[in-house]
């Protein structure tokens, strides 16, 4: 079940809210925990082991947290890290690892298994690990209530694709939160905007990228190749930003403050700035639990660059288990290193150049991210830059696509700016505001009724 589905919008969510608001404060967590498990079960019904896995994660990490707080022994933390990352490695990375090792050794020493990736495992693993580390560091107290801890790990607004929330940032709201009419209205507006971004923008613009993939990269012209990577850049942004807004809105409705995950990243003037604005909670997680423990930037330039390299290798692998994600992480790291060494100061002082730099760099890095087959990725780059190999790509195939999608790309560009949000904030007439959000909601529902279910891109990670 996804947020942008009719089942969620008209069955699951209304039933839950009807039961949730009359509940006493003590029972709200129990109800949220129960419905979160129902939500997860619905999406994992064909793979019951996924349900056992997340329930087991809640139980094991609950008791490990108590053990760590009681003794502050590193052995319990190590057990927790092995347990959580062990399952993540088995389901997400083992197949890739075994294949590469067997090819390297030219034998079948490592047995291969074709595992299906459990829904949301990357996200809830990072949350459980951050909890155990924070308890060990004495940054937070271990949660004594099993229901509250289970609610934190499985909370359906952010269970599947984040944002990644640390326990210490939400602990007070697990004990005492306000779910009044003001929060409901603010949260509902955020949820509807996220729904609109996903259904009206991400899905529509993404059709261009899907059409180009269907044609085959070897058969497209250079202009169409660039239209395709621009379309994917908009698709992945509005898809994930839309989900994050919906999660934030649902959290607000329930009385939780879910952190902002995007801050107009396409307005950035450097890759360093971009990755402070994109998937903010993931960047924060790697900074708190990997980069700073490694020494951050406190031990000289070489170790700083080493720490950046480790973080970006892990970031690439976190997103996927293909070589393109490793290359994407290394390329991103390269530009951030160059900026740290000297380029960032130049970009800060040259506004026009920095804009051109990012307009070129964002789609090209997303190209590496989007195409998992390295051979296909190479073909696409020969279409993007045909002069490198002397390939002549003369075709007007892009004309029809530009007629069909050109206006959508302009709309996407407009909604990457602050203008739409600033406009909505300036609406003082409550009736007009309600009409605007109703229009977005029902237009989104109309589109959902006409198209097949289209899950969020980040579900695959």
């Amino acid at each position: 079940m996804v947020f942008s589905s009719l089942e969620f919008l008209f069955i699951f969510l209304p039933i839950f809210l009807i039961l949730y608001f009359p509940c006493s404060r003590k029972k709200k967590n129990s109800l949220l925990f129960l419905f979160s498990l129902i939500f997860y079960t619905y999406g994992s019904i064909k793979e019951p082991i996924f349900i056992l896995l997340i329930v087991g994660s809640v139980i094991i990490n609950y008791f490990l947290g108590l053990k760590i707080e009681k003794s502050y022994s590193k052995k319990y933390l190590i057990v927790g890290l092995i347990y959580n990352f062990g399952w993540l490695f088995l389901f997400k990375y083992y197949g890739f690892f075994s294949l590469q090792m067997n090819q390297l050794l030219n034998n079948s020493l490592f047995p291969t298994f074709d595992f299906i990736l459990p829904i949301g495992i990357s996200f809830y693993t990072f949350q459980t690990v951050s909890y155990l580390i924070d308890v060990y560091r004495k940054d937070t107290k271990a949660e004594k209530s099993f229901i509250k801890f289970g609610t934190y790990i499985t909370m359906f607004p952010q269970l599947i694709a984040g944002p990644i929330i640390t326990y210490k940032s939400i602990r007070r709201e697990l004990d005492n939160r306000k779910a009044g009419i003001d929060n409901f209205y603010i949260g509902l507006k955020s949820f509807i905007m996220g729904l609109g971004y996903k259904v009206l923008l991400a899905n529509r613009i993404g059709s261009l990228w899907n059409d180009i993939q269907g044609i085959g990269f070897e058969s497209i012209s250079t202009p169409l190749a660039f239209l395709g990577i621009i379309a994917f850049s908009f698709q992945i942004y509005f898809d994930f930003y839309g989900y994050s807004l919906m999660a934030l809105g649902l959290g607000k409705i329930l009385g939780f403050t879910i952190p902002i995950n995007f801050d107009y990243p396409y307005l950035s003037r450097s890759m360093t700035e971009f990755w402070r604005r994109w998937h903010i909670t993931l960047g924060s997680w790697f900074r708190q639990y990997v980069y700073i423990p490694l020494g951050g930037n406190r031990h000289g330039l070489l170790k700083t660059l080493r720490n950046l390299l480790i973080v970006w290798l892990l970031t690439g692998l976190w997103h996927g288990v293909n070589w393109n994600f490793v290359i994407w992480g290394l390329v991103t790291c390269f530009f951030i290193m160059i900026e740290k060494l000297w380029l960032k100061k130049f970009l800060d002082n040259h506004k026009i150049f920095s804009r051109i730099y990012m307009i070129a760099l964002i789609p090209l890095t997303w190209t590496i991210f989007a195409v998992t087959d390295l051979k296909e990725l190479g073909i696409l780059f020969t279409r993007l830059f045909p002069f490198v190999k002397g390939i002549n790509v003369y075709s007007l195939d892009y004309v029809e696509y530009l007629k069909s999608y050109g206006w959508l790309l302009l709309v996407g560009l407009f909604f990457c700016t602050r203008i739409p949000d600033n406009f909505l904030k300036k609406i003082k007439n409550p009736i007009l505001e309600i009409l605007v959000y109703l229009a977005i909601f029902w237009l989104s529902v109309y589109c959902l009724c006409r198209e097949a279910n289209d899950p969020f891109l980040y579900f695959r990670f």
Side-chain angles (χ1 to χ4, degrees), residues 245-256:
L245 274 180
M246 295 169 83
L248 188 151
L250 288 171
K252 196 72 174 178
I253 290 170
L254 305 184
F256 292 98

Side-chain angles (χ1 to χ4, degrees), residues 232-234 236-237 240 261-281 283 312 319 328 332 335-336 339 344 347-348 354-355 357-359 361-366 369 416 458:
F232 180 79
S233 300
F234 284 137
I236 193 171
Y237 172 60
F240 196 23
N261 217 18
F262 290 85
D263 182 22
Y264 307 101
Y266 286 176
L267 298 182
S268 303
R269 292 171 52 197
S270 67
M271 287 299 285
T272 303
E273 182 184 0
F274 180 87
W275 283 103
R276 288 174 182 163
R277 292 166 171 254
W278 178 285
H279 206 342
I280 295 170
T281 57
W312 279 102
H319 281 92
W328 170 78
T332 304
F335 282 102
I336 290 175
E339 290 175 3
K344 183 67 163 58
L347 294 173
D348 290 341
S354 63
R355 295 293 184 195
Y357 166 79
M358 288 305 292
I359 288 171
L361 207 55
I362 289 172
L364 291 176
T365 52
W366 281 138
F369 187 94
C416 286
Y458 261 69

Side-chain angles (χ1 to χ4, degrees), residues 54-78:
I54 193 169
V55 172
S57 180
V58 172
I59 295 171
I60 296 297
N61 285 288
Y62 168 73
F63 285 108
L64 280 173
L66 295 176
K67 285 288 188 181
I68 290 172
E69 185 178 66
K70 185 177 180 179
S71 64
Y72 290 105
S73 171
K74 187 176 286 188
K75 67 179 181 182
Y76 291 114
L77 175 62
I78 293 172

Side-chain angles (χ1 to χ4, degrees), residues 79 105 249 287 336 347 387:
V79 169
L105 300 173
R287 185 167 55 254
I336 290 175
L347 294 173
F387 54 83

Side-chain angles (χ1 to χ4, degrees), residues 49-50 53 86-95 115-118 121:
I49 190 173
F50 296 172
L53 189 64
W87 286 116
L88 183 63
F89 176 82
L90 178 65
F91 281 99
K92 190 170 183 176
Y93 300 105
Y94 177 77
F115 290 117
I116 299 174
L117 185 66
I121 188 171

Side-chain angles (χ1 to χ4, degrees), residues 275-292:
W275 283 103
R276 288 174 182 163
R277 292 166 171 254
W278 178 285
H279 206 342
I280 295 170
T281 57
L282 179 66
S284 177
W285 195 96
F286 275 114
R287 185 167 55 254
Q288 290 183 54
Y289 301 106
V290 179
Y291 183 69
I292 292 176

Side-chain angles (χ1 to χ4, degrees), residues 390-411:
I391 299 172
N392 292 318
V393 184
Y394 295 108
S395 174
L396 296 177
D397 57 358
Y398 67 93
V399 174
E400 289 301 317
Y401 287 98
L402 195 58
K403 289 179 180 178
S404 300
Y405 291 98
W407 69 275
L408 263 175
L409 296 177
L410 290 175
V411 171

